[in-house]
């Protein structure tokens, strides 16, 4: 009887396996199509546009003008560097702020877990623009935050380290970085939360049982096991922050322009499409390169 | 028990743990000699894990002290105690190789020979060939041995094992029991082994504490616990017992006392009788009962109501005139077998009986036994 059962499943499995083999690809089709239409095609258009010459009134012709990339880099490298530095700083700040919070929500919050998670996501219920505008109010000169910061000599300190240029908080590097950190913090917290939530508290007990102090337990057990969340969170924060132009425009000054603002104005105000396309492409290449190096490095550290 | 503290004896003094509304461990006094294999046996929820966690430093006692030798370790943190735990769930670090798992404790204490020691202990648990694998790539039994090696390699004063064999199938479990016992004898550390499997406790331990509802019911070596249980809970939890209601007759000799069971006088050793109690449960283990006339004074007649043959032995249920059924287990050693409905005599030697205070519930602990062989 057992033999018969084996035989019948064996013969039934053969055709169904063949049929199953192309089903996954069929299911992928809508997604692939979506990628082609909304990612590959715009990418190709952008690449070709960057190599065109002309103006809006007379139209553009493809001339293969590679020199525009050299011009773009020469003219705008400070904005690139600034974008990467600001985004990097905001990412580190978001990690420092987000990690303890995510750890608390995942491991200690008990029945308040869902409530706190909702509070983390709550700012998303209003628009990005409104939230950033709110920071203009918060950091404005006639608001108590600035007043207190002045009384406590925080403004002096910020000025001394070059994050602000006078004794107000708004329209400064400081304000831009704060805005970036604030706006992308939830993108850091949520992936961190997911990986810390999966962390088995018994592993932490086991580490303590095996003579690891609280710091050693964090360093050897908690941190390595949360790395997937750290990698995901830093990417989700860094990538959009590097291309952001709202924070720099609303909270910064002419000395804090990020590359996103440059691209924005080249596209929409100056209408220099080839330059804007080249600038976008350079940003894309920089980010892809940095991300792949980063993921490679982080990935080798035993991500399970 | 108060014969002075040996260098590494573990002693618990009035150790207590209460949760918000519930006392999990009532004041507990216990001394476990260095180098012994000690089993903590009891039904689910009786406070075994809580007791271990207090010893390990993972749970803060509500009261009482913990000493190892002359040192009071009650106030120290888990990582400062020279005590290691083999967790029920193993709790192996999934991002580290087997080797790194085993070296974890040694590394934290800055041991320069970590690698050599870990290699040695992995050989002892026969896992040398999988040192570079991740724990998730191993079978349950192998993971269990990694957990054991990871704790053992630190040579702690006390090794705590919280039902480490719970997840294994019967065959592997028996094999690991023997291995654990062998390793314990080889390295000579104090083992405290928590289990709710009475057979496991009896085969492995030098002494057993039977725990019930946060209290220790009885403490002793396996044979004493089995032959002379002091409560109905122990009598039922550790193997099976026939308990018959009896009244103690006045008088008797130094060695023998008679008790009256439904108009029959039966003998029991005086040392097996609690002092100053008249109303008792007379207990006899099923394998101590014989079918047929043995000529002694301890004899009851009844009708065979059930016969079940299990290869090495046959188990009978014999109904007494007052309705109670006694369980008799007879080795299949060629002696005559009884048949269903037959009227038989059941007899036993006086020193095989034990008497327990009748104020206890005769069925205590019986319903909790999980592993009746
Ligand atoms: N953190 C806690 N809060 C409240 N009650 C607890 C807590 N931990 C354990 N208990 C209770 O304490 C009692 C003893 O628990 P413990 O885990 O020590 O049992 P156990 O003997 O190890 O049982 P098992 O054999 O099922 O593992 C249980 O009734 C349990 O519900
Ligand atoms: Mg337990």
């Amino acid at each position: 009887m057992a033999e018969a059962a084996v035989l019948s499943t064996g013969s039934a499995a053969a055709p169904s396996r063949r049929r199953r083999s192309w089903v996954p690809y069929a299911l992928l089709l809508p997604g692939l199509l979506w990628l082609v239409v909304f990612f590959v095609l715009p990418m190709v258009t952008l690449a070709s546009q960057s190599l065109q010459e002309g103006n809006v009134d007379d139209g553009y012709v493809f001339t293969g003008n590679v020199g525009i990339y050299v011009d773009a880099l020469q003219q705008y490298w400070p904005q690139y560097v600034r974008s990467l530095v600001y985004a990097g700083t905001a990412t580190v700040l978001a990690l420092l702020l987000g990690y303890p919070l995510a750890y608390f929500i995942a491991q200690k919050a008990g029945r308040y877990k869902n409530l706190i998670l909702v509070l983390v996501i709550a700012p998303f219920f209003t628009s990005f623009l409104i939230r950033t505008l709110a920071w203009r109010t918060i950091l404005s000169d006639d608001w108590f935050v600035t007043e207190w910061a002045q009384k406590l000599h925080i403004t002096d300190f910020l000025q001394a380290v070059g994050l602000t240029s006078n004794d107000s908080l708004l329209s400064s590097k400081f304000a831009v970085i704060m805005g970036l950190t604030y706006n992308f913090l939830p993108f850091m917290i949520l992936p961190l939360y997911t990986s810390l939530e999966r962390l088995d508290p018994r592993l932490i007990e086991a580490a303590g049982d095996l003579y690891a102090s609280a710091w050693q337990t964090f360093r050897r057990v908690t941190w390595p096991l949360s790395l997937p969340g750290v990698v995901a969170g830093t990417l989700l924060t860094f990538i959009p922050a590097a291309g952001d132009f709202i924070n720099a425009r609303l909270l910064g000054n002419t000395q804090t322009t990020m590359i996103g603002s440059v691209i924005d104005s080249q596209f929409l105000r100056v209408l220099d499409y080839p330059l804007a396309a080249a600038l976008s492409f350079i940003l894309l290449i920089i980010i892809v390169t940095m991300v792949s190096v980063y993921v490679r490095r982080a990935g080798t550290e035993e991500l399970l | 028990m108060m014969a002075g503290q040996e260098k590494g004896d573990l002693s618990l003094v009035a150790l207590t743990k209460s949760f918000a509304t519930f006392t999990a461990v009532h004041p507990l006094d216990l001394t476990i000699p260095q180098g012994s294999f000690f089993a903590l046996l009891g039904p689910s929820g009786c406070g075994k894990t809580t007791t271990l966690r207090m010893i390990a430093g993972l749970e803060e006692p509500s009261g009482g002290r913990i000493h190892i030798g002359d040192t009071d370790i009650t106030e120290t943190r888990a990582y400062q105690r020279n005590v290691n735990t083999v967790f029920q769930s193993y709790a192996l670090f999934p991002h580290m190789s087997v080797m790194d798992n085993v070296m974890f404790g040694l590394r934290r204490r800055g041991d320069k020979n970590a690698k050599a020691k870990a290699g040695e202990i992995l050989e002892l648990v026969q896992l040398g060939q999988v040192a570079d694998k991740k724990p998730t790539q191993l079978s349950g039994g192998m993971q269990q041995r990694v957990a054991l090696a990871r704790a053992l390699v630190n040579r702690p004063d006390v090794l705590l094992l919280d039902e480490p064999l719970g997840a294994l199938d019967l065959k592997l479990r028996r094999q690991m029991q023997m291995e654990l016992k062998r390793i314990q004898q080889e390295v000579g550390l104090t083992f405290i082994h928590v289990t709710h499997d009475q057979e496991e406790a009896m085969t492995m331990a030098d002494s057993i504490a039977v725990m019930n509802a946060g209290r220790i019911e009885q403490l002793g070596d396996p044979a004493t616990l089995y032959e002379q249980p002091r409560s109905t809970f122990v009598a039922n939890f550790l193997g099976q017992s026939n308990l018959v209601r009896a009244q103690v007759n006045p008088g008797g000799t130094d060695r023998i006392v008679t008790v009256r069971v439904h108009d029959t006088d039966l003998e029991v050793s005086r040392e097996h009788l609690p002092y100053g109690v008249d109303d008792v449960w007379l207990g006899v283990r099923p394998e101590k009962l014989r079918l047929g006339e043995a000529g002694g004074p301890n004899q009851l007649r009844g009708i065979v109501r059930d016969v079940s043959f299990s290869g090495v032995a046959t188990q009978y249920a014999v109904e007494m005139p007052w309705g109670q059924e006694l369980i008799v287990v007879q080795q299949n050693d060629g002696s005559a077998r009884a048949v269903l409905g037959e009227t038989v005599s059941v007899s036993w030697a006086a020193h095989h009986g034990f008497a327990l205070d009748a104020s206890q519930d005769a069925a205590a602990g019986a319903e909790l036994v999980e592993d009746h062989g």
Side-chain angles (χ1 to χ4, degrees):
Chain A
M1 197 178 81
E3 211 172 340
V6 169
L7 282 179
S8 70
T9 55
S11 59
S16 78
R17 185 179 309 147
R18 203 177 315 130
R19 205 176 315 130
R20 215 182 297 134
S21 65
W22 60 268
V23 166
Y25 298 101
L27 288 173
L28 273 178
L29 211 59
L32 282 174
L33 224 81
W34 193 88
L35 269 181
V36 168
V37 173
F38 292 103
F39 182 74
V40 178
L41 286 182
M43 216 46 127
V44 172
T45 321
L46 200 67
S48 97
Q49 191 155 50
S50 71
L51 300 175
Q52 293 172 359
E53 279 178 282
N55 59 56
V56 193
D57 302 324
D58 305 334
Y60 293 94
V61 280
F62 186 89
T63 56
N65 176 21
V66 188
I68 193 162
Y69 281 90
V70 181
D71 293 344
L73 266 177
Q74 261 171 357
Q75 200 179 343
Y76 292 108
W77 68 264
Q79 279 84 349
Y80 279 113
V81 173
R82 200 177 286 145
S83 296
L84 299 178
V85 170
Y86 288 5
T89 312
T91 306
V92 171
L93 285 176
L95 182 63
L96 292 178
L97 289 171
Y99 201 100
L101 184 61
Y103 186 87
F104 175 80
I105 302 173
Q107 297 280 332
K108 310 278 173 201
R111 60 206 175 91
Y112 297 108
K113 193 182 270 185
N114 288 336
L115 179 69
I116 304 178
L117 274 180
V118 169
L119 289 179
V120 167
I121 306 166
F124 279 100
F125 296 151
T126 60
S127 93
F128 188 72
L129 210 57
I130 303 279
R131 278 181 280 143
T132 313
L133 280 168
W135 273 81
R136 276 178 76 101
T137 314
I138 294 171
L139 296 180
S140 66
D141 286 344
D142 47 7
W143 193 259
F144 73 96
V145 176
T146 307
E147 206 177 300
W148 286 10
Q150 285 164 349
K151 272 187 202 147
L152 295 170
H153 299 288
I154 293 172
T155 44
D156 295 342
F157 170 77
L158 290 173
Q159 213 173 326
V161 297
L163 284 171
T164 56
S165 48
N166 47 41
D167 66 353
S168 54
L169 293 175
L170 199 60
S171 306
S172 65
K173 263 187 215 174
F174 170 76
V176 176
I177 292 173
M178 283 298 118
L180 288 171
T181 308
Y182 161 77
N183 274 311
F184 297 107
L185 187 59
F187 294 109
M188 179 65 86
I189 292 176
L190 293 179
L192 281 176
Y193 165 78
T194 334
S195 67
L196 285 167
E197 154 92 314
R198 272 184 318 199
L199 179 71
D200 186 346
R202 289 175 294 194
L203 294 179
I204 294 174
E205 285 192 342
D209 190 66
L210 291 163
Y211 319 116
S213 63
W215 163 248
Q216 289 174 323
T217 302
F218 175 76
R219 165 99 178 64
R220 303 283 170 190
V221 179
T222 313
W223 176 258
L225 286 174
S226 65
L227 268 187
V230 172
V231 171
T234 46
L235 290 182
L236 286 177
T237 310
F238 181 79
I239 296 171
D244 182 72
F245 60 96
I246 302 276
N247 286 282
R249 176 168 314 150
L250 296 182
L251 304 174
N253 57 37
T254 50
Q255 298 308 305
T256 63
T257 321
M258 290 170 69
I259 196 65
S261 324
V262 177
I263 295 170
D264 172 55
S265 65
Q266 290 299 331
F267 256 123
L268 301 178
R269 263 170 278 167
V270 184
L271 304 181
D272 187 345
Y273 294 152
L275 180 60
L279 286 168
S280 308
F281 230 79
I282 293 171
L283 180 63
L284 182 93
I285 288 163
I286 292 175
I287 288 182
V288 167
T289 313
M290 287 182 67
V291 164
S292 46
V293 169
Y294 173 64
V295 169
R296 185 89 40 88
R297 295 264 326 255
T300 52
E301 291 201 18
E302 320 198 313
L303 283 181
L304 283 187
Chain B
M1 256 211 274
M2 291 305 295
Q5 297 287 302
E6 290 298 317
K7 41 220 161 341
D9 292 1
L10 173 76
S11 60
L12 312 180
V13 184
L15 196 64
T16 316
K17 179 72 197 183
S18 305
F19 296 109
T21 54
F22 176 78
T23 303
V25 178
H26 293 274
L28 188 72
D29 290 285
L30 192 61
T31 300
I32 298 169
Q34 185 177 26
S36 65
F37 198 123
F38 189 89
L40 208 50
L41 174 69
S44 192
C46 71
K48 307 181 296 288
T49 297
T50 310
T51 308
L52 275 203
R53 289 173 59 84
M54 286 193 284
I55 299 173
L58 300 172
E59 198 89 65
E60 201 180 326
S62 315
R65 316 298 303 172
I66 304 166
H67 302 267
I68 293 181
D70 296 327
T71 328
D72 186 330
I73 59 164
T74 321
E75 307 296 336
T76 58
R77 311 288 292 267
Y79 70 91
Q80 296 163 325
R81 297 187 186 189
N82 200 15
V83 171
N84 288 121
T85 311
V86 179
F87 294 90
Q88 180 161 15
S89 56
Y90 311 148
L92 299 175
F93 303 122
H95 57 299
M96 297 180 196
S97 68
V98 166
M99 190 67 171
D100 287 332
N101 263 282
V102 175
M103 286 195 294
F104 192 90
L106 296 173
R107 284 253 174 92
R108 300 289 81 74
R109 300 210 283 191
D111 192 316
K112 290 190 188 60
N113 293 326
K115 194 141 197 148
K117 286 185 181 175
E120 217 169 276
I121 209 87
L122 280 174
E123 289 304 326
L124 182 72
V125 297
Q126 293 157 16
L127 285 178
Q129 71 288 358
V130 297
D132 296 326
K133 293 207 170 157
K134 293 278 171 67
T136 43
Q137 296 170 289
L138 305 183
S139 73
M142 288 164 122
Q143 291 184 21
Q144 200 269 321
R145 282 181 280 163
V146 176
L148 183 65
R150 186 178 70 170
L152 265 180
V153 73
N154 304 298
R155 302 275 160 157
D157 293 332
V158 181
L159 185 70
L160 307 172
L161 302 110
D162 192 357
E163 302 194 30
L165 310 181
L168 307 182
D169 66 50
L170 197 66
K171 188 157 168 271
L172 193 54
R173 196 150 140 182
R174 295 277 171 266
Q175 195 183 327
M176 283 306 301
Q177 285 173 3
M178 295 193 329
E179 208 149 315
L180 264 183
K181 184 76 188 160
R182 174 179 66 82
I183 290 170
Q184 192 263 342
Q185 282 164 348
E186 229 159 276
V187 299
L189 303 176
T190 310
F191 275 35
I192 303 182
H193 183 103
V194 158
T195 177
H196 53 237
D197 177 349
Q198 39 105 5
E199 213 174 306
E200 183 172 302
M202 288 200 281
T203 26
M204 299 174 78
D206 302 324
S207 45
I208 302 178
V210 180
M211 247 184 125
N212 181 27
R215 291 189 171 84
I216 289 189
E217 289 262 338
Q218 193 175 349
L219 177 74
D221 64 283
T224 311
L225 280 190
Y226 187 78
E227 305 292 349
Q228 296 165 43
R230 283 208 304 266
S231 69
T232 55
F233 180 86
V234 177
N236 291 320
F237 194 72
L238 226 58
Q240 270 176 302
S241 289
N242 294 300
L243 295 175
V244 182
R245 192 59 171 263
Q247 277 71 41
V248 179
N249 294 326
T253 67
D254 289 354
R255 290 182 44 248
I256 297 291
V257 182
T258 62
V259 297
R260 193 159 188 82
V261 176
H262 296 273
D263 309 325
T264 316
D265 281 335
L266 302 170
E267 291 186 349
V268 59
S269 299
R270 185 178 282 283
E271 55 177 336
H272 295 173
L273 189 73
Y275 184 76
V277 182
D278 292 332
D279 211 2
V280 295
W281 294 109
L282 177 63
V284 196
R285 298 287 188 183
E287 75 281 2
K288 302 283 162 43
L289 293 177
R290 292 267 158 273
L291 286 187
E293 320 263 338
N298 290 343
Q299 211 168 94
L300 293 166
R301 286 185 74 76
I303 303 162
V304 177
R305 290 296 182 207
D306 188 48
V307 181
S308 57
F309 177 77
S310 69
V312 289
T314 308
Q315 176 171 312
Y316 302 93
V318 181
E319 189 185 318
M320 295 292 107
W322 59 91
Q324 185 181 4
E325 283 186 353
L326 298 188
I327 307 295
V328 181
V329 172
Q330 183 168 281
Q331 292 297 313
N332 288 330
D333 52 5
S335 47
R337 298 229 194 101
V339 293
L340 216 57
E342 192 181 338
T343 302
V344 291
S345 285
V346 175
S347 61
W348 67 96
H351 66 272
H352 281 151
F354 52 86
L356 305 167
D357 190 335
S359 59
Q360 309 169 69
D361 177 8
E367 72 282 7
L368 299 166
V369 178
E370 302 184 8
D371 228 14
H372 254 313

